[in-house]
Amino acid sequence: MSSVSSVTGWGRTAPSTSLLVRPRTYEEAVAAVLGCGARGSIPRGLGRAYGDAAQNAGGAVLDMTGLDRIRSIDADAGVVVCDAGVSLHRLMEVLLPLGWFVPVTPGTRYVTVGGAIGADIHGKNHHVSGSFSRHVRSLELLTADGTVHTTVPGTALFDATSGGMGLTGAILSATVQLLPVRTSLMSVDTERATDLDDLMARLTATDHRYRYSVAWIDLLARGAATGRSVLTRGDHAPLDALPARLRRAPLAFRPATLPAPPPFIPEGLLGRTSVSLFNELWYRKAPRLRTGQIQRLATFFHPLDGVPHWNRIYGRGGFVQYQFAVGYGQEETLRRIVRRISRRGCPSFLAVLKRFGEADPGWLSFPVPGWTLALDIPANLGGLGAFLDTLDEEVAEAGGRVYLAKDSRLRPDLLAAMYPRLADFRALRAELDPGAVFTSDLARRLGL
């Protein structure tokens, strides 16, 4: 099944027109790759990459969601074998009643397993569990010549594919190690931090006590309140922590859904004034300290998933999601960037700070041991591109990097400084796929 479509990332910027092909079998996927034409192809999952990573102007985009079978579950060992188009949402529906949870989840459960590996996604537990690919035992990869390879961690092909943004081939299936849980609920501690230094001190001192940790940060606060935050941390609740009414079905998974925003939102709705008011209210309503609150999984991990098409709230112009990481010892770089964003008045109400643990082996995997800040900004904000360019330069100079799965505008000259294994990745691609059968708007823009 195929059609010519305008394709964009979740940020809804820079759409491009492609032939959208939806294979339903491995054989159809092979045929689609071999017949993709001179402009090549790129695999795509549920379209949650924010920028142009899953776009391919004038070429083919392989919608992998048609490959959606869960092939086997070992409920004793906690191992699932599934097609690349299976979503994390679907895995949660099937696996939670069996007492298992996905090892890593980002801020949305509407990503596919193939996308999770291709972007080597991370979550609130990176300081404990690393990125998604660390929990993949093996994967089946369709390469440019139509061959399907079984590849395992520690090999060059696996490490190039983990975080490789679909440019080494199309992932067809994966074997994933799961996390055992006793309930589908979370035990959550929440506290306020008065400023950025207070937040970093709290995270550094006590993060090791929690499996999951994240801080919402007010990037419009200034002066003594710069970087004030709400810190939320937790772990999977044990059965004896639940009230009696929840013990009757402790592994039930029932995420709530709210009405979707209208298709058209007035431009400028999320300006400095409205976002500043939201941030003030959000910070003030948060408890100074609350421990042991029982929350649903969806509330803790995926609050925005309850609002279908929430990306519409930015209006027709869309938004830029900007995420960078800098290593431990570069805290002054982080402080300086937060102050600059605050002075610039970037209206971001979805801004989070986390700590990363040990780096993952993927050649283009994003996390490095240190700090990561992610924020959303309306794309029509005046001078945004030039401003973010200067932040990129600071990040690169500090030995940090920008997350490719969220990028839509990074300058290619900074890429090598951010990703030391870039030359190895390019060399493997040149050997594996000399005709650039797998390519994307992101790949062309950055020279990947």
Side-chain angles (χ1 to χ4, degrees):
M1 186 172 67
S2 62
S3 62
V4 176
S5 302
S6 178
V7 180
T8 185
W10 191 245
R12 304 175 75 206
T13 59
S16 59
T17 301
S18 306
L19 179 66
L20 197 63
V21 183
R22 192 168 190 258
R24 294 183 178 275
T25 65
Y26 292 179
E27 292 76 16
E28 288 183 4
V30 171
V33 168
L34 294 178
C36 66
R39 290 287 287 182
S41 62
I42 190 69
R44 180 182 176 93
L46 288 167
R48 293 304 178 106
Y50 285 80
D52 52 3
Q55 298 174 217
N56 184 25
V61 170
L62 307 179
D63 177 355
M64 302 299 288
T65 59
L67 299 175
D68 60 356
R69 289 169 293 181
I70 296 177
R71 295 178 168 265
S72 67
I73 300 170
D74 185 334
D76 294 323
V79 176
V80 63
V81 181
C82 63
D83 287 348
V86 174
S87 69
L88 299 192
H89 174 84
R90 180 60 180 154
L91 287 183
M92 291 175 197
E93 286 184 321
V94 172
L95 297 171
L96 273 168
L98 303 176
W100 298 98
F101 189 60
V102 295
V104 172
T105 177
T108 175
R109 61 187 179 273
Y110 294 112
V111 296
T112 61
V113 169
I117 298 168
D120 202 14
I121 60 170
H122 57 271
K124 299 175 182 179
N125 60 338
H126 190 275
H127 63 293
V128 173
S129 302
S131 295
F132 191 89
S133 295
R134 194 181 294 184
H135 306 273
V136 176
R137 290 187 170 186
S138 66
L139 57 85
E140 300 290 313
L141 183 72
L142 168 61
T143 53
D145 61 358
T147 303
V148 178
H149 303 261
T150 299
T151 181
V152 296
T155 62
L157 187 54
F158 187 97
D159 290 347
T161 299
S162 304
M165 306 310 297
L167 297 174
T168 60
I171 299 168
L172 299 179
S173 69
T175 301
V176 182
Q177 180 67 57
L178 305 167
L179 177 72
V181 295
R182 296 294 305 279
T183 75
S184 63
L185 296 143
M186 304 295 295
S187 177
V188 180
D189 295 352
T190 304
E191 59 190 290
R192 281 195 235 165
T194 57
D195 58 27
L196 183 60
D197 283 343
D198 182 31
L199 172 64
M200 289 193 292
R202 291 171 189 250
L203 286 168
T204 301
T206 59
D207 240 15
H208 63 279
R209 301 176 188 170
Y210 299 89
R211 179 176 292 275
Y212 303 100
S213 178
V214 67
W216 169 88
I217 183 169
D218 182 357
L219 292 176
L220 286 176
R222 297 187 181 187
T226 299
R228 66 179 181 178
S229 310
V230 178
L231 178 55
T232 308
R233 295 180 287 186
D235 208 335
H236 299 277
L239 189 61
D240 60 10
L242 303 188
R245 62 183 177 82
L246 294 176
R247 294 185 192 181
R248 290 191 290 270
L251 290 167
F253 180 55
R254 303 189 187 97
T257 302
L258 299 173
F264 303 106
I265 304 290
E267 296 295 324
L269 180 65
L270 294 181
R272 292 185 183 93
T273 301
S274 59
V275 173
S276 181
L277 177 61
F278 171 87
N279 287 1
E280 180 71 27
L281 294 173
W282 191 260
Y283 181 76
R284 294 297 174 189
K285 86 174 190 65
R288 293 185 183 276
L289 177 64
R290 181 177 61 204
T291 61
Q293 183 189 29
I294 299 300
Q295 290 185 5
R296 295 184 182 277
L297 281 170
T299 302
F300 182 77
F301 288 110
H302 315 120
L304 286 173
D305 281 349
V307 184
H309 306 293
W310 63 262
N311 56 342
R312 293 176 184 170
I313 65 176
Y314 294 87
R316 293 176 183 269
F319 70 104
V320 171
Q321 174 84 185
Y322 184 66
Q323 183 168 6
F324 69 91
V326 292
Y328 295 123
Q330 293 295 330
E331 285 78 10
E332 187 52 42
T333 299
L334 176 61
R335 292 186 188 98
R336 187 165 53 248
I337 290 176
V338 168
R339 288 194 298 266
R340 291 189 60 192
I341 293 170
S342 175
R343 288 196 301 268
R344 181 66 174 74
C346 294
S348 177
F349 76 97
L350 295 175
V352 296
L353 183 75
K354 296 192 291 267
R355 292 172 78 244
F356 280 153
E358 182 181 349
D360 299 286
W363 292 354
L364 297 186
S365 184
F366 169 64
V368 292
W371 306 92
T372 181
L373 177 66
L375 60 146
D376 63 299
I377 313 170
N380 59 9
L381 185 69
L384 179 61
F387 175 68
L388 293 180
D389 281 347
T390 65
L391 299 190
D392 291 339
E393 291 165 2
E394 284 205 57
V395 169
E397 187 176 348
R401 57 188 56 167
V402 166
Y403 192 16
L404 297 182
K406 295 185 176 180
D407 177 57
S408 58
R409 26 74 40 211
L410 179 68
R411 293 201 323 256
D413 58 288
L414 294 175
L415 194 64
M418 293 181 173
Y419 288 91
R421 299 298 301 272
L422 179 62
D424 295 327
F425 181 81
R426 285 171 168 162
L428 184 141
R429 276 201 73 211
E431 178 183 350
L432 192 67
D433 185 8
V437 170
F438 288 99
T439 190
S440 66
D441 292 353
L442 173 79
R444 282 187 284 266
R445 175 167 59 83
L446 294 178
L448 288 170

PDB file of all heavy atoms in Angstrom, residues 86-113:
ATOM      1  N   VAL A  86       5.595  -2.540  16.404  1.00  0.00           N
ATOM      2  CA  VAL A  86       4.817  -2.626  17.646  1.00  0.00           C
ATOM      3  C   VAL A  86       5.138  -1.412  18.512  1.00  0.00           C
ATOM      4  O   VAL A  86       6.300  -1.066  18.708  1.00  0.00           O
ATOM      5  CB  VAL A  86       5.133  -3.929  18.406  1.00  0.00           C
ATOM      6  CG1 VAL A  86       4.438  -3.955  19.761  1.00  0.00           C
ATOM      7  CG2 VAL A  86       4.736  -5.133  17.579  1.00  0.00           C
ATOM      8  N   SER A  87       4.108  -0.776  19.049  1.00  0.00           N
ATOM      9  CA  SER A  87       4.326   0.411  19.875  1.00  0.00           C
ATOM     10  C   SER A  87       4.602   0.018  21.322  1.00  0.00           C
ATOM     11  O   SER A  87       4.223  -1.072  21.780  1.00  0.00           O
ATOM     12  CB  SER A  87       3.115   1.328  19.830  1.00  0.00           C
ATOM     13  OG  SER A  87       2.013   0.736  20.511  1.00  0.00           O
ATOM     14  N   LEU A  88       5.237   0.929  22.068  1.00  0.00           N
ATOM     15  CA  LEU A  88       5.419   0.704  23.489  1.00  0.00           C
ATOM     16  C   LEU A  88       4.073   0.654  24.200  1.00  0.00           C
ATOM     17  O   LEU A  88       3.910  -0.071  25.190  1.00  0.00           O
ATOM     18  CB  LEU A  88       6.297   1.799  24.099  1.00  0.00           C
ATOM     19  CG  LEU A  88       7.721   1.923  23.557  1.00  0.00           C
ATOM     20  CD1 LEU A  88       8.550   2.843  24.465  1.00  0.00           C
ATOM     21  CD2 LEU A  88       8.407   0.584  23.397  1.00  0.00           C
ATOM     22  N   HIS A  89       3.100   1.407  23.701  1.00  0.00           N
ATOM     23  CA  HIS A  89       1.746   1.348  24.259  1.00  0.00           C
ATOM     24  C   HIS A  89       1.197  -0.078  24.175  1.00  0.00           C
ATOM     25  O   HIS A  89       0.652  -0.603  25.147  1.00  0.00           O
ATOM     26  CB  HIS A  89       0.834   2.319  23.512  1.00  0.00           C
ATOM     27  CG  HIS A  89      -0.611   2.224  23.905  1.00  0.00           C
ATOM     28  ND1 HIS A  89      -1.126   2.876  24.998  1.00  0.00           N
ATOM     29  CD2 HIS A  89      -1.647   1.532  23.361  1.00  0.00           C
ATOM     30  CE1 HIS A  89      -2.413   2.605  25.107  1.00  0.00           C
ATOM     31  NE2 HIS A  89      -2.748   1.784  24.122  1.00  0.00           N
ATOM     32  N   ARG A  90       1.345  -0.696  23.015  1.00  0.00           N
ATOM     33  CA  ARG A  90       0.850  -2.060  22.838  1.00  0.00           C
ATOM     34  C   ARG A  90       1.593  -3.037  23.741  1.00  0.00           C
ATOM     35  O   ARG A  90       0.984  -3.945  24.342  1.00  0.00           O
ATOM     36  CB  ARG A  90       0.992  -2.472  21.369  1.00  0.00           C
ATOM     37  CG  ARG A  90       0.505  -3.889  21.065  1.00  0.00           C
ATOM     38  CD  ARG A  90      -0.952  -4.054  21.397  1.00  0.00           C
ATOM     39  NE  ARG A  90      -1.421  -5.407  21.108  1.00  0.00           N
ATOM     40  CZ  ARG A  90      -2.441  -5.977  21.730  1.00  0.00           C
ATOM     41  NH1 ARG A  90      -3.103  -5.319  22.683  1.00  0.00           N
ATOM     42  NH2 ARG A  90      -2.817  -7.195  21.414  1.00  0.00           N
ATOM     43  N   LEU A  91       2.896  -2.874  23.879  1.00  0.00           N
ATOM     44  CA  LEU A  91       3.649  -3.749  24.779  1.00  0.00           C
ATOM     45  C   LEU A  91       3.155  -3.612  26.207  1.00  0.00           C
ATOM     46  O   LEU A  91       3.030  -4.610  26.926  1.00  0.00           O
ATOM     47  CB  LEU A  91       5.139  -3.425  24.697  1.00  0.00           C
ATOM     48  CG  LEU A  91       5.874  -3.853  23.426  1.00  0.00           C
ATOM     49  CD1 LEU A  91       7.351  -3.522  23.543  1.00  0.00           C
ATOM     50  CD2 LEU A  91       5.685  -5.349  23.138  1.00  0.00           C
ATOM     51  N   MET A  92       2.872  -2.392  26.637  1.00  0.00           N
ATOM     52  CA  MET A  92       2.360  -2.199  28.000  1.00  0.00           C
ATOM     53  C   MET A  92       1.010  -2.886  28.178  1.00  0.00           C
ATOM     54  O   MET A  92       0.757  -3.521  29.208  1.00  0.00           O
ATOM     55  CB  MET A  92       2.248  -0.708  28.304  1.00  0.00           C
ATOM     56  CG  MET A  92       3.583  -0.004  28.417  1.00  0.00           C
ATOM     57  SD  MET A  92       3.399   1.783  28.640  1.00  0.00           S
ATOM     58  CE  MET A  92       5.055   2.332  28.225  1.00  0.00           C
ATOM     59  N   GLU A  93       0.140  -2.766  27.190  1.00  0.00           N
ATOM     60  CA  GLU A  93      -1.172  -3.416  27.277  1.00  0.00           C
ATOM     61  C   GLU A  93      -1.038  -4.930  27.457  1.00  0.00           C
ATOM     62  O   GLU A  93      -1.766  -5.540  28.240  1.00  0.00           O
ATOM     63  CB  GLU A  93      -1.976  -3.143  26.007  1.00  0.00           C
ATOM     64  CG  GLU A  93      -2.542  -1.748  25.881  1.00  0.00           C
ATOM     65  CD  GLU A  93      -3.391  -1.614  24.637  1.00  0.00           C
ATOM     66  OE1 GLU A  93      -3.025  -2.182  23.581  1.00  0.00           O
ATOM     67  OE2 GLU A  93      -4.427  -0.919  24.705  1.00  0.00           O
ATOM     68  N   VAL A  94      -0.105  -5.525  26.734  1.00  0.00           N
ATOM     69  CA  VAL A  94       0.041  -6.977  26.734  1.00  0.00           C
ATOM     70  C   VAL A  94       0.878  -7.471  27.907  1.00  0.00           C
ATOM     71  O   VAL A  94       0.565  -8.500  28.528  1.00  0.00           O
ATOM     72  CB  VAL A  94       0.661  -7.435  25.393  1.00  0.00           C
ATOM     73  CG1 VAL A  94       1.003  -8.922  25.435  1.00  0.00           C
ATOM     74  CG2 VAL A  94      -0.292  -7.132  24.235  1.00  0.00           C
ATOM     75  N   LEU A  95       1.931  -6.734  28.247  1.00  0.00           N
ATOM     76  CA  LEU A  95       2.915  -7.249  29.192  1.00  0.00           C
ATOM     77  C   LEU A  95       2.628  -6.912  30.647  1.00  0.00           C
ATOM     78  O   LEU A  95       2.992  -7.674  31.549  1.00  0.00           O
ATOM     79  CB  LEU A  95       4.305  -6.723  28.814  1.00  0.00           C
ATOM     80  CG  LEU A  95       4.830  -7.183  27.448  1.00  0.00           C
ATOM     81  CD1 LEU A  95       6.100  -6.423  27.090  1.00  0.00           C
ATOM     82  CD2 LEU A  95       5.085  -8.687  27.437  1.00  0.00           C
ATOM     83  N   LEU A  96       2.004  -5.768  30.907  1.00  0.00           N
ATOM     84  CA  LEU A  96       1.742  -5.407  32.300  1.00  0.00           C
ATOM     85  C   LEU A  96       0.904  -6.447  33.042  1.00  0.00           C
ATOM     86  O   LEU A  96       1.215  -6.781  34.193  1.00  0.00           O
ATOM     87  CB  LEU A  96       1.097  -4.029  32.380  1.00  0.00           C
ATOM     88  CG  LEU A  96       2.078  -2.858  32.437  1.00  0.00           C
ATOM     89  CD1 LEU A  96       1.372  -1.533  32.217  1.00  0.00           C
ATOM     90  CD2 LEU A  96       2.829  -2.842  33.769  1.00  0.00           C
ATOM     91  N   PRO A  97      -0.152  -7.009  32.447  1.00  0.00           N
ATOM     92  CA  PRO A  97      -0.897  -8.050  33.164  1.00  0.00           C
ATOM     93  C   PRO A  97      -0.056  -9.275  33.509  1.00  0.00           C
ATOM     94  O   PRO A  97      -0.422 -10.052  34.393  1.00  0.00           O
ATOM     95  CB  PRO A  97      -2.022  -8.410  32.174  1.00  0.00           C
ATOM     96  CG  PRO A  97      -2.206  -7.181  31.349  1.00  0.00           C
ATOM     97  CD  PRO A  97      -0.833  -6.633  31.186  1.00  0.00           C
ATOM     98  N   LEU A  98       1.069  -9.444  32.819  1.00  0.00           N
ATOM     99  CA  LEU A  98       1.963 -10.571  33.089  1.00  0.00           C
ATOM    100  C   LEU A  98       3.051 -10.209  34.097  1.00  0.00           C
ATOM    101  O   LEU A  98       3.891 -11.046  34.434  1.00  0.00           O
ATOM    102  CB  LEU A  98       2.609 -11.043  31.779  1.00  0.00           C
ATOM    103  CG  LEU A  98       1.646 -11.458  30.658  1.00  0.00           C
ATOM    104  CD1 LEU A  98       2.428 -11.816  29.401  1.00  0.00           C
ATOM    105  CD2 LEU A  98       0.765 -12.613  31.100  1.00  0.00           C
ATOM    106  N   GLY A  99       3.064  -8.945  34.552  1.00  0.00           N
ATOM    107  CA  GLY A  99       4.043  -8.530  35.541  1.00  0.00           C
ATOM    108  C   GLY A  99       5.348  -8.014  34.955  1.00  0.00           C
ATOM    109  O   GLY A  99       6.381  -8.041  35.636  1.00  0.00           O
ATOM    110  N   TRP A 100       5.299  -7.514  33.702  1.00  0.00           N
ATOM    111  CA  TRP A 100       6.502  -7.003  33.053  1.00  0.00           C
ATOM    112  C   TRP A 100       6.229  -5.623  32.467  1.00  0.00           C
ATOM    113  O   TRP A 100       5.123  -5.320  32.028  1.00  0.00           O
ATOM    114  CB  TRP A 100       6.979  -7.948  31.951  1.00  0.00           C
ATOM    115  CG  TRP A 100       7.368  -9.303  32.470  1.00  0.00           C
ATOM    116  CD1 TRP A 100       6.614 -10.427  32.483  1.00  0.00           C
ATOM    117  CD2 TRP A 100       8.615  -9.642  33.087  1.00  0.00           C
ATOM    118  NE1 TRP A 100       7.299 -11.465  33.059  1.00  0.00           N
ATOM    119  CE2 TRP A 100       8.538 -11.013  33.435  1.00  0.00           C
ATOM    120  CE3 TRP A 100       9.786  -8.932  33.366  1.00  0.00           C
ATOM    121  CZ2 TRP A 100       9.592 -11.676  34.053  1.00  0.00           C
ATOM    122  CZ3 TRP A 100      10.837  -9.598  33.980  1.00  0.00           C
ATOM    123  CH2 TRP A 100      10.726 -10.960  34.321  1.00  0.00           C
ATOM    124  N   PHE A 101       7.288  -4.803  32.427  1.00  0.00           N
ATOM    125  CA  PHE A 101       7.195  -3.439  31.905  1.00  0.00           C
ATOM    126  C   PHE A 101       8.357  -3.205  30.941  1.00  0.00           C
ATOM    127  O   PHE A 101       9.390  -3.871  31.025  1.00  0.00           O
ATOM    128  CB  PHE A 101       7.269  -2.438  33.067  1.00  0.00           C
ATOM    129  CG  PHE A 101       6.968  -1.015  32.682  1.00  0.00           C
ATOM    130  CD1 PHE A 101       5.738  -0.674  32.127  1.00  0.00           C
ATOM    131  CD2 PHE A 101       7.909  -0.014  32.890  1.00  0.00           C
ATOM    132  CE1 PHE A 101       5.458   0.641  31.781  1.00  0.00           C
ATOM    133  CE2 PHE A 101       7.637   1.299  32.558  1.00  0.00           C
ATOM    134  CZ  PHE A 101       6.406   1.627  31.998  1.00  0.00           C
ATOM    135  N   VAL A 102       8.182  -2.267  30.019  1.00  0.00           N
ATOM    136  CA  VAL A 102       9.264  -1.950  29.092  1.00  0.00           C
ATOM    137  C   VAL A 102      10.453  -1.394  29.887  1.00  0.00           C
ATOM    138  O   VAL A 102      10.270  -0.690  30.878  1.00  0.00           O
ATOM    139  CB  VAL A 102       8.810  -0.951  28.016  1.00  0.00           C
ATOM    140  CG1 VAL A 102       7.752  -1.570  27.122  1.00  0.00           C
ATOM    141  CG2 VAL A 102       8.306   0.353  28.623  1.00  0.00           C
ATOM    142  N   PRO A 103      11.682  -1.702  29.483  1.00  0.00           N
ATOM    143  CA  PRO A 103      12.846  -1.304  30.294  1.00  0.00           C
ATOM    144  C   PRO A 103      13.115   0.189  30.292  1.00  0.00           C
ATOM    145  O   PRO A 103      13.679   0.722  31.249  1.00  0.00           O
ATOM    146  CB  PRO A 103      14.005  -2.069  29.652  1.00  0.00           C
ATOM    147  CG  PRO A 103      13.571  -2.284  28.229  1.00  0.00           C
ATOM    148  CD  PRO A 103      12.084  -2.491  28.308  1.00  0.00           C
ATOM    149  N   VAL A 104      12.719   0.869  29.212  1.00  0.00           N
ATOM    150  CA  VAL A 104      12.928   2.309  29.065  1.00  0.00           C
ATOM    151  C   VAL A 104      11.752   2.878  28.289  1.00  0.00           C
ATOM    152  O   VAL A 104      11.336   2.300  27.281  1.00  0.00           O
ATOM    153  CB  VAL A 104      14.238   2.616  28.302  1.00  0.00           C
ATOM    154  CG1 VAL A 104      14.353   4.108  27.988  1.00  0.00           C
ATOM    155  CG2 VAL A 104      15.452   2.134  29.083  1.00  0.00           C
ATOM    156  N   THR A 105      11.211   3.978  28.765  1.00  0.00           N
ATOM    157  CA  THR A 105      10.164   4.662  28.008  1.00  0.00           C
ATOM    158  C   THR A 105      10.442   6.158  28.022  1.00  0.00           C
ATOM    159  O   THR A 105      10.818   6.712  29.062  1.00  0.00           O
ATOM    160  CB  THR A 105       8.761   4.380  28.570  1.00  0.00           C
ATOM    161  OG1 THR A 105       7.792   5.131  27.814  1.00  0.00           O
ATOM    162  CG2 THR A 105       8.641   4.749  30.032  1.00  0.00           C
ATOM    163  N   PRO A 106      10.280   6.823  26.885  1.00  0.00           N
ATOM    164  CA  PRO A 106      10.427   8.279  26.856  1.00  0.00           C
ATOM    165  C   PRO A 106       9.145   8.933  27.348  1.00  0.00           C
ATOM    166  O   PRO A 106       8.301   8.277  27.972  1.00  0.00           O
ATOM    167  CB  PRO A 106      10.688   8.558  25.374  1.00  0.00           C
ATOM    168  CG  PRO A 106       9.896   7.492  24.671  1.00  0.00           C
ATOM    169  CD  PRO A 106       9.967   6.277  25.561  1.00  0.00           C
ATOM    170  N   GLY A 107       8.964  10.211  27.044  1.00  0.00           N
ATOM    171  CA  GLY A 107       7.784  10.932  27.502  1.00  0.00           C
ATOM    172  C   GLY A 107       6.514  10.598  26.766  1.00  0.00           C
ATOM    173  O   GLY A 107       5.451  11.136  27.091  1.00  0.00           O
ATOM    174  N   THR A 108       6.586   9.709  25.780  1.00  0.00           N
ATOM    175  CA  THR A 108       5.393   9.208  25.108  1.00  0.00           C
ATOM    176  C   THR A 108       5.521   7.707  24.921  1.00  0.00           C
ATOM    177  O   THR A 108       6.609   7.190  24.651  1.00  0.00           O
ATOM    178  CB  THR A 108       5.184   9.888  23.743  1.00  0.00           C
ATOM    179  OG1 THR A 108       4.064   9.268  23.071  1.00  0.00           O
ATOM    180  CG2 THR A 108       6.411   9.761  22.853  1.00  0.00           C
ATOM    181  N   ARG A 109       4.421   6.997  25.079  1.00  0.00           N
ATOM    182  CA  ARG A 109       4.434   5.555  24.816  1.00  0.00           C
ATOM    183  C   ARG A 109       4.065   5.258  23.371  1.00  0.00           C
ATOM    184  O   ARG A 109       4.061   4.101  22.955  1.00  0.00           O
ATOM    185  CB  ARG A 109       3.485   4.828  25.776  1.00  0.00           C
ATOM    186  CG  ARG A 109       2.045   5.224  25.694  1.00  0.00           C
ATOM    187  CD  ARG A 109       1.207   4.574  26.797  1.00  0.00           C
ATOM    188  NE  ARG A 109      -0.190   4.997  26.723  1.00  0.00           N
ATOM    189  CZ  ARG A 109      -0.672   6.090  27.303  1.00  0.00           C
ATOM    190  NH1 ARG A 109       0.138   6.860  28.027  1.00  0.00           N
ATOM    191  NH2 ARG A 109      -1.946   6.420  27.181  1.00  0.00           N
ATOM    192  N   TYR A 110       3.766   6.296  22.591  1.00  0.00           N
ATOM    193  CA  TYR A 110       3.401   6.105  21.188  1.00  0.00           C
ATOM    194  C   TYR A 110       4.628   6.217  20.289  1.00  0.00           C
ATOM    195  O   TYR A 110       4.713   7.058  19.394  1.00  0.00           O
ATOM    196  CB  TYR A 110       2.305   7.088  20.789  1.00  0.00           C
ATOM    197  CG  TYR A 110       1.017   6.813  21.525  1.00  0.00           C
ATOM    198  CD1 TYR A 110       0.525   7.694  22.468  1.00  0.00           C
ATOM    199  CD2 TYR A 110       0.304   5.629  21.300  1.00  0.00           C
ATOM    200  CE1 TYR A 110      -0.645   7.426  23.169  1.00  0.00           C
ATOM    201  CE2 TYR A 110      -0.863   5.352  21.991  1.00  0.00           C
ATOM    202  CZ  TYR A 110      -1.336   6.253  22.929  1.00  0.00           C
ATOM    203  OH  TYR A 110      -2.491   5.987  23.621  1.00  0.00           O
ATOM    204  N   VAL A 111       5.601   5.367  20.583  1.00  0.00           N
ATOM    205  CA  VAL A 111       6.751   5.168  19.713  1.00  0.00           C
ATOM    206  C   VAL A 111       6.850   3.675  19.443  1.00  0.00           C
ATOM    207  O   VAL A 111       6.436   2.854  20.255  1.00  0.00           O
ATOM    208  CB  VAL A 111       8.058   5.693  20.344  1.00  0.00           C
ATOM    209  CG1 VAL A 111       8.009   7.189  20.550  1.00  0.00           C
ATOM    210  CG2 VAL A 111       8.356   5.001  21.669  1.00  0.00           C
ATOM    211  N   THR A 112       7.395   3.328  18.298  1.00  0.00           N
ATOM    212  CA  THR A 112       7.554   1.917  17.962  1.00  0.00           C
ATOM    213  C   THR A 112       8.868   1.384  18.513  1.00  0.00           C
ATOM    214  O   THR A 112       9.791   2.138  18.833  1.00  0.00           O
ATOM    215  CB  THR A 112       7.541   1.711  16.440  1.00  0.00           C
ATOM    216  OG1 THR A 112       8.644   2.428  15.863  1.00  0.00           O
ATOM    217  CG2 THR A 112       6.224   2.202  15.831  1.00  0.00           C
ATOM    218  N   VAL A 113       8.947   0.070  18.592  1.00  0.00           N
ATOM    219  CA  VAL A 113      10.187  -0.565  19.034  1.00  0.00           C
ATOM    220  C   VAL A 113      11.322  -0.235  18.076  1.00  0.00           C
ATOM    221  O   VAL A 113      12.455   0.049  18.493  1.00  0.00           O
ATOM    222  CB  VAL A 113       9.985  -2.083  19.175  1.00  0.00           C
ATOM    223  CG1 VAL A 113      11.317  -2.806  19.375  1.00  0.00           C
ATOM    224  CG2 VAL A 113       9.032  -2.380  20.332  1.00  0.00           C
TER     225      VAL A 113
END
